[in-house]
């Protein structure tokens, strides 16, 4: 279920920012980062999603070493299912065409 909703917060980010082909400004990057908080809020307000699913929307850009966003959580602070979604999201980013992708993962593998 979470795989369908973890990026739902992007509906509240301006489309021009989401699809911008060039480098983002600091403000645009902050807007992108907020999609995790927006997603958590949307799912909580809807009321029929478990806390685990809501946390997956919030935490899927956190990193075990504390370098992620939005709250710089470390491994012991993250929901275990959020970690799975984070790995899947990184893999998806590396293997799909996205406007902000610098070097597609598949091209790297072919080298």
């Amino acid at each position: 279920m979470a795989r369908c909703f973890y990026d739902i917060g992007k509906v509240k980010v301006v489309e021009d920012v989401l699809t911008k082909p060039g480098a983002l400004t600091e403000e645009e990057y902050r807007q992108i980062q907020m999609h995790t908080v927006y997603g958590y809020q949307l799912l909580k307000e809807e009321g029929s999603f478990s806390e685990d699913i809501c946390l997956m929307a919030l935490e899927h850009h956190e990193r075990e070493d504390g370098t992620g966003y939005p709250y710089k959580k470390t491994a012991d602070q993250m929901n275990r299912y959020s970690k799975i979604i984070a790995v899947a999201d990184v893999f998806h980013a590396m293997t799909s065409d996205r406007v902000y992708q610098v070097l597609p993962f598949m091209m790297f593998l072919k080298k």
Side-chain angles (χ1 to χ4, degrees), residues 66-106:
T67 60
Y69 65 85
Y71 299 118
K72 301 199 177 305
K73 291 183 176 186
T74 56
D76 60 319
Q77 299 169 313
M78 293 172 63
N79 177 289
R80 63 183 168 174
Y81 300 117
S82 297
K83 294 176 187 182
I84 296 168
I85 294 296
V87 170
D89 187 49
V90 168
F91 179 78
H92 186 257
M94 292 187 306
T95 59
S96 29
D97 291 329
R98 295 186 181 186
V99 291
Y100 53 84
Q101 194 169 13
V102 178
L103 178 64
F105 181 65
M106 298 311 288

Side-chain angles (χ1 to χ4, degrees), residues 1-11 35-44 46 48-50 52-61 85 89:
M1 176 85 88
R3 68 182 165 80
C4 299
F5 296 107
Y6 74 93
D7 265 344
I8 191 75
K10 287 184 177 179
V11 301
H35 85 275
T36 59
V37 175
Y38 297 149
Y40 179 82
Q41 292 169 343
L42 286 167
L43 295 174
K44 286 294 276 189
E46 199 285 325
S48 62
F49 295 97
S50 70
D52 284 332
I53 290 176
C54 296
L55 284 173
M56 286 182 249
L58 180 66
E59 298 177 342
H60 71 277
H61 285 289
I85 294 296
D89 187 49

